[in-house]
Amino acid sequence: MNSPSSAAPPSRPLVCVGALVRGPAGYLIVQTTKWRGSWGVPGGKVEYGETLSAAIEREFVEETGLKITGIRSAQTQEAVRSAEFHKDSHMLLFDFFAHTEGESVAPNEEIVQWAWVSLEEALSYPLNSFTRTLVELAIKEGA
């Protein structure tokens, strides 16, 4: 019998969502426990039967307490056994841009700290590489 810590990774990639969200005070970035202390955007796994859009809405509320609107697709990335992630994993990352009217973050246990920043300021943080490409895309598109 395997203990949970020695469980084999899933046999298929995990489908995950994340969003770079603009609020009244700028764009929200978070330092998380899952990306070895680097900064990223809130997000998580898509549940069976859930649309990508519904998943990012749910994940954002769960992780930050904020409701998001104006969700639009940004990019898709693959994180295949990335050393940046806290465990061996193969993830398909569906990234979005969105808005929020709120700015009072109610973080869950995954978020260590957060900041509302401009896109240019975000690049000065130690972002994980997947978030860095999302921020760079936002700058390029003038999001």
Side-chain angles (χ1 to χ4, degrees), residues 67-108:
K67 293 187 185 244
I68 57 174
T69 59
I71 300 167
R72 69 179 178 93
S73 180
Q75 66 182 2
T76 303
Q77 302 184 78
E78 286 185 290
V80 182
R81 306 185 91 177
S82 172
E84 294 176 272
F85 199 62
H86 72 110
K87 64 181 181 180
D88 187 27
S89 183
H90 179 176
M91 297 176 287
L92 302 178
L93 307 172
F94 290 85
D95 294 329
F96 296 88
F97 296 131
H99 295 89
T100 186
E101 296 301 317
E103 58 184 281
S104 180
V105 176
N108 73 357

Side-chain angles (χ1 to χ4, degrees), residues 5-139:
S5 62
S6 66
S11 62
R12 298 180 189 272
L14 298 171
V15 178
C16 300
V17 292
L20 181 60
V21 173
R22 184 177 189 170
Y27 290 86
L28 180 64
I29 58 171
V30 298
Q31 184 184 32
T32 71
T33 58
K34 292 194 172 184
W35 288 93
R36 300 191 189 273
S38 65
W39 288 68
V41 294
K45 292 181 267 204
V46 177
E47 295 177 357
Y48 185 81
E50 187 176 45
T51 65
L52 296 173
S53 178
I56 192 54
E57 287 181 85
R58 175 186 52 76
E59 282 287 344
F60 220 85
V61 168
E62 287 176 6
E63 292 190 8
T64 69
L66 297 169
K67 293 187 185 244
I68 57 174
T69 59
I71 300 167
R72 69 179 178 93
S73 180
Q75 66 182 2
T76 303
Q77 302 184 78
E78 286 185 290
V80 182
R81 306 185 91 177
S82 172
E84 294 176 272
F85 199 62
H86 72 110
K87 64 181 181 180
D88 187 27
S89 183
H90 179 176
M91 297 176 287
L92 302 178
L93 307 172
F94 290 85
D95 294 329
F96 296 88
F97 296 131
H99 295 89
T100 186
E101 296 301 317
E103 58 184 281
S104 180
V105 176
N108 73 357
E109 69 283 350
E110 294 177 19
I111 295 177
V112 177
Q113 58 183 324
W114 63 93
W116 292 98
V117 296
S118 70
L119 293 172
E120 292 74 18
E121 287 172 320
L123 293 176
S124 71
Y125 282 74
L127 301 174
N128 66 60
S129 63
F130 304 98
T131 298
R132 183 165 297 279
T133 65
L134 181 60
V135 171
E136 289 170 348
L137 177 63
I139 291 170

